Amino acid sequence: MRIGELARRTGVTPRALRYYEEQGLLTPERRPSGYREYGDRDVDAVHGIRTLLAAGLNSAAIAEILPGLPLPGQRQAGPTCPELLDGLARERARITRQMDELAAARAILDAIMGAEAPSEVIRTPRA
């Protein structure tokens, strides 16, 4: 199938599909005319890419993790490859750190917004 058909089947723009190729996430065949040719496995790969992007992973992390994900119907749900599990655990820890940093920033804003003298909160050194 050509890029327009893959875009239609996955709900992803052709531009995004070309970006995924640039990042090494998709490797379509090339026709002699230069047109990209995708297969049914690419549909599954795009769904996997979109899921991992929604989970907060960047394209470099996805490139590392995606090859270890089983295709639908290949085996039991969830990854069983130790390297894949390690990569997912690292990404989960990174996201947790970001959440903690955001919660701390929100707490500071709450303190400033609720303070009778906001300038005192701003000038108080933080640990």
Side-chain angles (χ1 to χ4, degrees), residues 16-126:
L17 295 171
R18 286 189 289 273
Y19 174 76
Y20 299 160
E21 182 182 356
E22 289 171 11
Q23 298 300 307
L25 304 176
L26 289 176
T27 53
E29 299 286 326
R30 289 288 185 150
R31 291 182 175 181
S33 63
Y35 285 112
R36 294 167 178 86
E37 184 68 28
Y38 297 94
D40 289 333
R41 295 187 76 177
D42 292 311
V43 173
D44 294 329
V46 171
H47 289 302
I49 291 165
R50 299 299 293 176
T51 299
L52 293 170
L53 284 170
L57 279 66
N58 62 36
S59 58
I62 293 171
E64 185 179 321
I65 291 169
L66 191 62
L69 288 178
L71 292 173
Q74 274 191 334
R75 59 179 188 216
Q76 294 179 347
T80 56
C81 172
E83 294 81 12
L84 176 59
L85 290 173
D86 290 345
L88 292 172
R90 280 193 306 275
E91 287 303 313
R92 186 179 190 287
R94 180 189 61 78
I95 290 169
T96 300
R97 284 191 304 276
Q98 287 180 325
M99 290 171 56
D100 292 344
E101 291 168 5
L102 288 170
R106 183 182 57 207
I108 292 169
L109 290 175
D110 288 346
I112 292 168
M113 292 167 50
E116 289 182 30
S119 60
E120 290 177 14
V121 174
I122 292 171
R123 292 184 184 143
T124 304
R126 301 261 168 226

